[in-house]
């Protein structure tokens, strides 16, 4: 069965559709929504294997003493690679703010596309959840992870705000506010923007550039490129939303860091810290998504040039010869999977932002959408999480990346519908 599915993926990747199959996408989205109703809004996660104190400490041992740590972590890696359903033995199902934000946006897009009050109500539900699940103990609105996250630089504790989560929540409130103009959402957006401006640390990297911290605690991580891209976008958007140049000044310095961090081949390393110099698929998408959004707000030609170089690298190095997304341009270590749902979700998200500008990228996205509908969506409506070295990880994880793919397909429907209306008006 696994070999047949792998062969089908490669075969489907070769199909070069010259259009986006919106009817099929809508059917897939509706099947997913039915699955979400049955499954619920909590799930296991990619990090479930390491969320307990015991397994988090084993992971930290691996970082401190790789040889000894490899022996200790081996049973966990085995489960991750061959028994993904064993997650239920390691930790509990949880809800994730970053997933709730993506669901809110996805339902907002669907409500606009279909003019459906019910989907708008679903978006409202997720905003209300986000309002209730903000990080405790912080003056301003902010969100992070609901588990203790062991990283190369130590533990990021549950409830720590993360600049890689907060902008998505800002966008979620903004997208629903665009529908109902509820002043409460604007109030939360303003508080979130103030958090993004005031609660992170900036470290100058040149006269014009600065790198921000990943969380309000700079010892945990600095120099992560996508984190700076996220913050630059959110603050640029907030400068437009609230006519406040404070946001733009800080955003411009983080943006300059991102532009300065682009390599000569068009790629971006995950971080400019001398340790995490890998180039992977979905983090590359994160960076270019943020740049595309800032470009749309500013029209900055330097950003456009960076996107052009980035897209050229992306389509050449992060897809295989059949147009299937590759997790890494060059794997930095042994990985226990072949393909990653998150890569598919972010490829579509990026493709929708840049649709019509890069012919080869458009073809890649068309192929990815085809693969998602024909291979990755399961009969119950959920999506496979990973293709492993042997078999599949079919454990649905809202953060990794059921919610992201739902949002990307909903955005596809909204933009395709808007394009069709414009074409009809021109005709």
């Amino acid at each position: 069965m696994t070999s047949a599915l792998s062969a089908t993926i490669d075969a489907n990747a070769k199909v070069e559709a010259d259009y986006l199959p919106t009817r099929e996408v809508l059917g897939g989205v509706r099947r997913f929504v039915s699955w979400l109703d049955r499954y619920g809004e909590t799930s296991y996660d990619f990090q479930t294997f390491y969320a307990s104190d015991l397994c988090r400490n084993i992971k930290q041992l691996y970082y401190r003493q790789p040889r000894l740590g490899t022996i200790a972590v081996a049973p966990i890696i085995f489960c991750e690679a061959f028994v993904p359903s064993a997650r239920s033995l390691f930790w509990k199902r949880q809800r994730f703010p970053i997933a709730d934000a993506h669901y809110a946006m996805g339902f907002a897009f669907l409500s606009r596309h279909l003019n459906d009050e019910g989907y708008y109500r679903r978006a409202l539900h997720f905003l209300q959840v986000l309002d209730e699940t903000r990080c405790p103990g912080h003056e301003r609105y902010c969100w992070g992870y609901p588990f203790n996250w062991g990283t190369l630089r130590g533990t990021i504790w549950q409830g720590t705000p993360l600049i890689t989560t907060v902008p998505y929540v800002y966008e979620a409130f903004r997208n629903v506010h665009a529908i109902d103009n509820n002043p409460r959402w604007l109030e939360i957006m303003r508080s979130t923007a103030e958090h993004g401006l005031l609660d992170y640390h900036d470290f100058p990297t040149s006269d014009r550039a600065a790198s921000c911290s990943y969380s309000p605690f700079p010892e945990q991580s600095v120099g992560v490129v996508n984190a700076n891209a996220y913050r630059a976008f959110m603050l640029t958007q907030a400068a437009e939303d609230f006519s406040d140049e404070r946001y733009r000044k800080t955003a411009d310095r983080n943006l300059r860091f991102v532009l300065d961090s682009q390599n000569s081949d068009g790629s971006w390393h995950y971080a400019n810290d001398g340790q995490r110099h890998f180039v992977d698929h979905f983090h590359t998408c994160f960076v270019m998504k943020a740049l595309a959004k800032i470009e749309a707000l500013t029209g900055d030609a330097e950003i456009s040039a960076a996107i052009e170089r980035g897209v050229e690298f992306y389509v050449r190095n992060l897809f295989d010869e059949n147009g299937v997304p590759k997790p890494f341009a060059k794997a930095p270590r042994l990985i226990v999977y072949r393909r990653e749902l998150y890569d598919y979700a972010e490829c579509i998200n990026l493709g929708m932002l840049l649709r019509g500008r890069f012919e080869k990228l458009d073809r890649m996205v068309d192929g990815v959408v085809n693969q998602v509908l024909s291979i990755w969506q399961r009969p119950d409506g959920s999506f496979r999480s990973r293709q492993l070295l042997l078999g599949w990880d079919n454990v649905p994880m809202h953060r990794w990346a059921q919610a992201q793919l739902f949002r990307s397909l909903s955005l596809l429907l909204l933009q395709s519908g808007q394009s069709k209306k414009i074409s009809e008006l021109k005709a």
Side-chain angles (χ1 to χ4, degrees):
M1 182 65 172
T2 300
S3 298
L5 283 170
S6 298
T8 306
I9 284 183
D10 293 337
N12 275 276
K14 296 177 182 178
V15 176
E16 292 187 0
D18 58 359
Y19 68 97
L20 290 169
T22 53
R23 181 178 299 179
E24 291 82 356
V25 170
L26 181 57
V29 167
R30 282 176 165 156
R31 288 194 299 276
F32 178 84
V33 171
S34 295
W35 167 81
L36 181 62
D37 290 340
R38 298 189 304 272
Y39 186 80
E41 296 169 7
T42 63
S43 73
Y44 298 108
D45 188 67
F46 162 66
Q47 292 288 348
T48 291
F49 284 115
Y50 304 97
S52 69
D53 288 343
L54 173 62
C55 293
R56 178 175 53 80
N57 287 328
I58 289 174
K59 186 179 180 183
Q60 295 290 347
L61 176 64
Y62 171 78
Y63 288 138
R64 295 193 307 270
Q65 301 181 48
R67 290 186 180 181
L68 180 59
T70 297
I71 297 172
V73 82
I76 304 174
I77 298 296
F78 177 86
C79 290
E80 187 177 1
F82 298 106
V83 196
S85 61
R87 282 185 176 87
S88 61
L89 303 176
F90 285 75
W91 196 241
K92 58 191 175 183
R93 284 174 54 156
Q94 295 179 288
R95 72 178 315 133
F96 301 89
I98 194 170
D100 291 332
H102 278 81
Y103 282 132
M105 286 187 277
F107 281 115
F109 296 154
L110 282 181
S111 73
R112 291 172 57 193
H113 175 63
L114 299 172
N115 194 26
D116 189 308
E117 177 79 8
Y119 287 137
Y120 162 70
R121 294 294 172 190
R122 295 293 294 272
L124 279 185
H125 160 71
F126 283 102
L127 289 199
Q128 290 160 358
V129 168
L130 286 164
D131 192 355
E132 296 165 1
T133 56
R134 56 184 284 200
C135 291
H138 291 266
E139 176 184 355
R140 292 170 275 271
Y141 272 76
C142 51
W143 296 263
Y145 290 158
F147 54 84
N148 297 328
W149 179 24
T151 74
L152 182 66
R153 294 178 177 270
T155 298
I156 297 179
W157 300 104
Q158 172 186 346
T160 300
L162 301 175
I163 197 58
T164 52
T165 292
V166 169
Y168 285 120
V169 184
Y170 183 93
E171 281 191 284
F173 281 100
R174 189 174 187 276
N175 273 282
V176 178
H177 180 265
I179 297 173
D180 62 15
N181 289 312
N182 187 332
R184 173 60 177 159
W185 311 147
L186 199 65
E187 177 186 340
I188 293 174
M189 288 164 56
R190 184 67 186 234
S191 177
T192 304
E194 287 292 293
H195 162 75
L197 177 68
L198 300 174
D199 294 342
Y200 295 84
H201 297 261
D202 281 295
F203 299 86
T205 56
S206 74
D207 291 342
R208 299 173 57 194
S211 173
C212 72
S213 57
Y214 200 95
S215 80
F217 307 102
E219 66 275 9
Q220 291 171 336
S221 195
V222 174
V224 177
V225 178
N226 76 92
N228 283 269
Y230 277 128
R231 188 177 186 228
F233 157 65
M234 185 180 75
L235 294 181
T236 301
Q237 184 66 70
E240 294 288 324
D241 293 339
F242 298 106
S243 301
D244 192 329
E245 285 302 304
R246 294 180 306 138
Y247 300 136
R248 194 182 309 278
K249 289 178 181 178
T250 297
D252 286 348
R253 292 181 64 78
N254 292 156
L255 170 62
R256 170 54 52 185
F257 171 79
V258 174
L259 296 176
D260 290 348
S261 297
Q262 189 172 29
N263 300 312
S264 59
D265 62 2
S267 68
W268 285 271
H269 293 138
Y270 172 77
N272 287 352
D273 59 3
Q275 293 178 291
R276 294 170 289 179
H277 275 187
F278 59 86
V279 178
D280 71 337
H281 196 112
F282 62 84
H283 284 107
T284 297
C285 290
F286 291 164
V287 173
M288 287 200 289
K289 280 194 317 178
L291 291 180
K293 293 173 185 177
I294 298 171
E295 178 196 38
L297 292 169
T298 66
D300 190 322
E302 192 170 357
I303 298 175
S304 302
I307 292 172
E308 290 173 7
R309 293 193 300 274
V311 168
E312 183 178 355
F313 175 89
Y314 177 63
V315 299
R316 189 174 65 248
N317 294 279
L318 287 166
F319 296 84
D320 69 14
E321 64 276 9
N322 293 320
V324 176
K326 291 167 51 179
F328 293 93
K330 182 180 179 182
R333 60 186 182 278
L334 176 66
I335 57 175
V336 298
Y337 58 93
R338 297 176 61 194
R339 298 182 176 100
E340 176 86 81
L341 183 67
Y342 219 142
D343 298 339
Y344 285 73
E346 293 307 328
C347 173
I348 298 171
N349 273 320
L350 176 64
M352 290 304 99
L353 287 172
L354 299 178
R355 190 72 179 173
R357 290 175 58 178
F358 304 97
E359 182 180 354
K360 191 170 182 180
L361 176 61
D362 287 348
R363 291 200 306 270
M364 293 290 192
V365 173
D366 291 346
V368 166
V369 172
N370 179 273
Q371 294 168 55
V372 164
L373 296 176
S374 60
I375 300 300
W376 286 81
Q377 188 162 34
R378 304 182 69 213
D380 67 359
S382 67
F383 298 99
R384 304 176 186 277
S385 295
R386 279 178 168 175
Q387 186 184 17
L388 303 172
L389 300 178
L390 294 172
W392 293 83
D393 183 344
N394 288 323
V395 178
M397 297 178 279
H398 289 316
R399 185 179 76 96
W400 207 273
Q402 305 287 325
Q404 287 84 348
L405 188 54
F406 169 68
R407 180 199 181 280
S408 72
L409 294 176
S410 300
L411 177 61
L412 183 159
L413 290 169
L414 177 61
Q415 289 193 188
S416 297
Q418 291 173 338
S419 297
K420 182 179 180 181
K421 289 176 182 178
I422 291 172
S423 298
E424 290 172 350
L425 287 173
K426 289 182 178 178

